[in-house]
Amino acid sequence: MTHSLRVAIGSDPGPRRSENEDSALLGRSLLAVADGMGGHVHGEVASSATIGALLDLDLWAEGVDLREHDMLGLVRDGVAEAARRLDALTDADPDLRGMGTTVTALLWDGSGFAVAHVGDSRAYVLRDGLLGQITHDHTMVQSLVDAGRLTAEEAERHPRRSVLMRTLQAGNAFEPDLFRVEAHVGDRFLLCSDGLTDVVGDHAVREALATATEPADAVHWLITLAVRGGGPDNITCVVADVVPERARTERITVGAHRVLGTTKAS
């Protein structure tokens, strides 16, 4: 049995940033968030190019029965195409060398998602009132938690919690996590950049997702919480509800891709 998604998207540069290096996609089959690496050159170009590659995958998927395809292979190829575009951009313009981005992409086939994930932009699911993180941060601090050298509570306060161990970066081999998540009617999925999760804790994220009636309300409230918390980074959220009825999704990009993207969403 197949279901549909009711989805909303939003991005805010935050009160302390003049530019938005995040890019995100709300597609008809694909949801994605890419966070250009802060402190690196041209993070907005890296995130925009990545979302552009994934947008092309979403355009290709329209009218295709994705259940007949290798979903994990498709989403991996979408990220691989993004990596190729970053390499091509740096080959054409040496000033772009060193640019990189996180990427978390979810490809929907009517019953679940194929997930590709690199970096620390996160995906969560709210199911039966419980919030679960379905991606694993590729950060130095998370590796210390995994090794038992830090507690989760210590990691939240660690001054180097945003130092990335794995990203999509021009000139470097990429190794995305690839896995599938089955979806149930009533599930609410969240994709977000760390501009949300570095400021808003899991308890507040759960409350916002559980309380908001519509995905757009959840997106608005989550971004508002991050801004009220000081908003030191760009904040981007995509919220998707799994519903039994057919829902038409408008294709939208936000953040840096809306400004820099070369492929028009429609």
Side-chain angles (χ1 to χ4, degrees):
M1 182 178 180
T2 60
H3 310 304
S4 293
L5 300 176
R6 185 180 296 124
V7 192
I9 190 170
S11 188
D12 192 291
R16 301 189 194 177
R17 295 288 183 95
S18 59
E19 303 291 339
N20 195 344
E21 292 188 328
D22 288 358
S23 294
L25 167 66
L26 185 164
R28 293 184 179 149
S29 298
L30 199 147
L31 312 174
V33 169
D35 180 355
M37 290 163 57
H40 289 68
V41 294
H42 303 297
E44 74 282 2
V45 177
S47 71
S48 179
T50 296
I51 290 300
L54 294 171
L55 175 56
D56 286 348
L57 173 58
D58 187 66
L59 290 163
W60 172 87
E62 189 165 6
V64 173
D65 187 349
L66 291 174
R67 294 169 298 178
E68 297 178 356
H69 293 265
D70 174 8
M71 292 276 288
L72 290 176
L74 287 174
V75 74
R76 185 189 187 283
D77 288 348
V79 176
E81 172 59 23
R84 283 192 289 271
R85 293 188 187 190
L86 296 189
D87 288 342
L89 285 168
T90 56
D91 287 344
D93 184 355
D95 288 343
L96 296 176
R97 287 175 183 164
M99 70 175 178
T101 184
T102 71
V103 59
T104 299
L106 277 65
L107 183 63
W108 171 253
D109 68 358
S111 61
F113 291 103
V115 182
H117 166 70
V118 183
D120 63 351
S121 296
R122 293 179 178 177
Y124 294 86
V125 61
L126 181 73
R127 178 176 293 165
D128 298 327
L130 300 176
L131 182 70
Q133 183 178 334
I134 62 175
T135 54
H136 192 75
D137 293 350
H138 298 143
T139 60
M140 181 188 72
V141 166
Q142 184 60 54
S143 69
L144 295 175
V145 173
D146 295 342
R149 295 171 60 187
L150 283 179
T151 67
E153 293 74 19
E154 290 170 335
E156 289 180 0
R157 301 186 299 271
H158 199 283
R160 303 191 70 191
R161 64 184 179 274
S162 295
V163 175
L164 292 165
M165 303 291 287
R166 200 190 314 175
T167 62
L168 197 67
Q169 190 169 12
N172 290 345
F174 78 98
E175 298 178 17
D177 292 343
L178 295 168
F179 56 94
R180 181 175 174 84
V181 176
E182 298 299 329
H184 306 154
V185 170
D187 286 352
R188 173 166 280 181
F189 286 84
L190 166 67
L191 283 73
C192 60
S193 62
D194 68 347
L196 174 70
T197 52
D198 278 354
V199 178
V200 183
D202 282 0
H203 177 74
V205 169
R206 193 207 74 82
E207 288 299 308
L209 292 174
T211 303
T213 303
E214 296 293 332
D217 299 330
V219 168
H220 173 75
W221 186 238
L222 289 167
I223 291 175
T224 298
L225 287 173
V227 170
R228 288 180 180 175
D233 200 353
N234 310 141
I235 311 145
T236 300
C237 298
V238 181
V239 173
D241 288 353
V242 181
V243 296
E245 68 273 14
R246 183 169 179 79
R248 177 66 172 175
T249 300
E250 183 182 2
R251 188 177 283 118
I252 302 170
T253 61
V254 298
H257 185 268
R258 185 176 59 183
V259 178
L260 301 174
T262 58
T263 307
K264 180 177 175 57
S266 62

